[in-house]
Structures are given as C-alpha cells and as structure tokens.
Amino acid sequence: MSTLEEHVDIGVPVDKAWESLHRVENYPRFVEGVRAARTEAGGRAHLDVEAGGRARELDAEVSDHGDKRVMEWHTSGAPELAGSFSLQPIDQNHTRVQARLEYDPGAIRETFGGPKGFAQANAIERLVRSDLEHFKEYVEQER
C-alpha cells in the first residue's frame, strides 16, 4: 500500500469546514471525477466516479470522530482505498484540512487505467492536491 498525505489551509472556522466536508452530495463540486454522490444509511456513501475514461460506482463506509474532527473512510469493494480527513483550527477563522489516502497502485491502475510507478504516484498526488484546493474554493465561497 502507498500512502499520500496533503493539507490545505482554508479561511473558514473549523465548524464550517467540518459541516461542508459532511455534505457528500456536494462532492461533485470539488472532487475531480465524482459525477454524483449521496449519503446512505449506516454511515455509507455512494459515489459515481469517472476516471481514466472509465465509469465506476464506489461505496464507502464512513466513520466520524467528531470530538477530534476526524472523518475516516474506506471503500467496501474494489479498488481498496482508505483515507481520512482531519481538521485542525489554526485560529478562529482558519482551518487546516489534512487528507490521507492509502491505496494499492496496481489496483488503481487496473481499475482506472493510467500511468505506472512514479508517474502514477505523481498523478494521484496532483489530483489530491487539486481536490483540496477546490474544496478550499468551495467552502470559502459559501461563507
């Protein structure tokens, strides 16, 4: 498994960022490749994703640690992905969003296509960084 960690500082209070992160139906507005998303019963989310010219449906189990401002998730089928978002207040009006993604590079390539090796790791890193920047824009515009 490979692990990627990225963060972005956003200009909203931690409670606002936490609330926005939990609106799964809005993920298509800031997560590249997500065409539709919805929350389902039992702490699950369903996402319709298109990547590498391939459409897939992904189901994820989500667990909250609201007291610590940590949301963990993992897919319940292929490809095996897991990750977390942790939010840390910087001050009253600014929050650091830390994203962690654990993935099997071979499974990602098999499922979605794309480059191998180092090029794939760079592509995934750019995608996560871009998604965090889009989340920042989305949340800051909602103020």
Side-chain angles (χ1 to χ4, degrees), residues 6-138:
E6 292 287 332
H7 75 271
V8 67
D9 296 340
I10 59 177
V12 299
V14 70
D15 290 337
K16 171 85 169 134
W18 185 250
E19 178 185 316
S20 295
L21 187 61
H22 282 79
R23 283 192 234 129
V24 173
E25 65 276 2
N26 289 333
Y27 280 23
R29 297 175 77 183
F30 58 86
V31 179
E32 181 71 30
V34 175
R35 301 294 171 233
R38 67 179 179 271
T39 303
E40 296 185 340
R44 294 181 162 280
H46 179 86
L47 295 92
D48 293 323
V49 178
E50 184 179 322
R54 298 179 185 178
R56 296 262 325 186
E57 292 185 22
L58 297 176
D59 290 308
E61 295 182 26
V62 180
S63 60
D64 259 351
H65 304 282
D67 57 329
K68 297 177 187 171
R69 299 285 193 217
V70 174
M71 177 198 302
E72 295 175 330
W73 60 271
H74 66 274
T75 55
S76 53
E80 275 188 49
L81 302 169
S84 64
F85 295 99
S86 63
L87 280 63
Q88 300 141 353
I90 296 170
D91 60 30
Q92 185 176 352
N93 294 309
H94 296 88
T95 303
R96 174 161 291 164
V97 179
Q98 177 83 31
R100 178 180 173 95
L101 174 65
E102 296 176 19
Y103 64 97
D104 175 3
I108 294 294
R109 179 164 166 58
E110 190 175 297
T111 303
F112 297 112
K116 287 185 178 180
F118 188 69
Q120 180 186 44
N122 282 342
I124 291 172
E125 184 177 316
R126 280 192 310 274
L127 182 63
V128 171
R129 214 179 280 138
S130 174
D131 288 348
L132 284 173
E133 287 298 326
H134 288 119
F135 179 71
K136 172 185 171 91
E137 292 168 12
Y138 166 73

